[in-house]
Amino acid sequence: VLGVNGRIDSPDGLGLVVPAQARTVILLDAIAGSEPSPVVHVTVRGGKVAAVLNDTWLDGVVPRGGDDVVPVAAPAREQVIAGVPIQGHAILRVAVPGGSEAVVQSQVLTPGGPRPLPVDGVTRVAGFSTKDIDLSSLPPGAYAVQVRADVPVVAAVMLDRRRAGGAPSDLAWSVASLPIRTLAGMALPSSQVKGLTQRLDLVATGSPGSVLVTTVGAGGQVRSQQVVIGGDSVSTLLLDGASSVWVTPLTGNVRAAVLTSVTDVAGELLSLTSLADLTLSTTPPPLRQLR
């Protein structure tokens, strides 16, 4: 576990065994229970594993929300986080998995182009350490976050939705992703859920980009449309009534995320899913030599 003051060494995080075709649950409280800004680094010494982080909060007995977080982009000198719907409290968490200090430059991308952060637009993060940057003072809206550094870093954004101090709330993590190169997509919740809202966020970095967005309705109706995104800008598309969404890249470097929310009298539930290239397979037709 990496924290604000560096790497946290604990015997509880070493030598963990995951049986074949099974799962193991590790409580991070046993490794770094008092760390306010943890980032987890998993190193495998044998076999292959998939790691998922579950972040769940309680304020006494009042649920404050929870989310599952999976890695999408490896450590890099540039990280882009699509799908950042700021409306209240939001933080950008940056971590340096290596031992060298990082000089980190961050900005938000909006439908009108890039915009500087209100605080800590340029900051230093020590090696094996983390830093939280507050985004809460940004006006409500659709954003993406771009992070650049002189050494590889990882980054993610946490948002929460709270109507009142004593009421239940929810939180969601949006992680950095890679540009879509082949095809990305996902199944969507049933549109019959009351208060359900679904949205696709697209972000192009550098030059303008374009994608083909295909949605499938609950009755099997297929609808396709080309979407153009300005350079270093964000574009959004409502997905109401769709049972799945598929994004095919056409030009530029485009990343995508799906926002799903449900609102009722108690408040809002929020989920953010970064889209990544799907593993595609084909069966080649048999070839027969003709003489």
Side-chain angles (χ1 to χ4, degrees):
V1 177
L2 310 179
V4 293
N5 295 317
R7 183 166 50 196
I8 301 171
D9 294 319
S10 169
D12 295 327
L14 302 176
L16 304 170
V17 177
V18 182
Q21 298 181 350
R23 62 194 291 264
T24 298
V25 177
I26 301 102
L27 292 178
L28 294 183
D29 287 349
I31 302 175
S34 61
E35 173 54 47
S37 303
V39 169
V40 181
H41 186 183
V42 178
T43 302
V44 182
R45 303 191 183 278
K48 296 181 179 181
V49 302
V52 179
L53 176 65
N54 176 260
D55 189 18
T56 304
W57 287 83
L58 283 173
D59 185 1
V61 296
V62 179
R64 286 303 186 193
D67 199 11
D68 291 331
V69 189
V70 296
V72 178
R77 294 174 60 184
E78 181 185 41
Q79 300 284 9
V80 178
I81 305 163
V84 182
I86 293 179
Q87 188 179 334
H89 181 62
I91 62 164
L92 166 65
R93 182 166 297 172
V94 181
V96 182
S100 300
E101 180 187 66
V103 178
V104 180
Q105 180 179 0
S106 306
Q107 64 178 358
V108 291
L109 308 180
T110 73
R115 178 174 178 174
L117 296 188
V119 293
D120 290 332
V122 178
T123 187
R124 294 179 179 270
V125 184
F128 301 123
S129 300
T130 68
K131 183 178 180 65
D132 284 356
I133 300 172
D134 192 5
L135 306 177
S136 304
S137 61
L138 288 168
Y143 295 90
V145 177
Q146 184 180 47
V147 177
R148 290 172 173 163
D150 56 345
V151 298
V153 298
V154 295
V157 172
M158 190 277 286
L159 310 101
D160 66 19
R161 294 286 191 267
R162 297 192 183 190
R163 284 191 173 179
S169 61
D170 195 21
L171 63 87
W173 283 94
S174 186
V175 301
S177 60
L178 299 174
I180 300 171
R181 298 302 183 197
T182 55
L183 175 69
M186 62 177 289
L188 301 173
S190 171
S191 58
Q192 297 179 355
V193 176
K194 187 176 180 180
L196 175 70
T197 300
Q198 301 179 105
R199 190 180 83 194
L200 175 68
D201 275 26
L202 301 164
V203 54
T205 54
S207 60
S210 62
V211 297
L212 181 67
V213 178
T214 302
T215 56
V216 181
Q221 307 91 344
V222 177
R223 180 181 174 214
S224 296
Q225 60 178 307
Q226 183 174 335
V227 181
V228 178
I229 311 103
D232 291 329
S233 300
V234 171
S235 181
T236 63
L237 183 67
L238 290 178
L239 301 174
D240 294 343
S243 61
S244 64
V245 60
W246 308 95
V247 180
T248 305
L250 299 176
T251 61
N253 294 316
V254 179
R255 295 167 172 85
V258 172
L259 285 62
T260 305
S261 64
V262 177
T263 304
D264 60 18
V265 293
E268 182 181 2
L269 298 175
L270 180 67
S271 178
L272 301 168
T273 305
S274 298
L275 298 185
D277 282 327
L278 300 172
T279 301
L280 305 177
S281 62
T282 60
T283 302
L287 298 178
R288 181 178 299 175
Q289 184 177 0
L290 300 177
R291 294 184 180 180

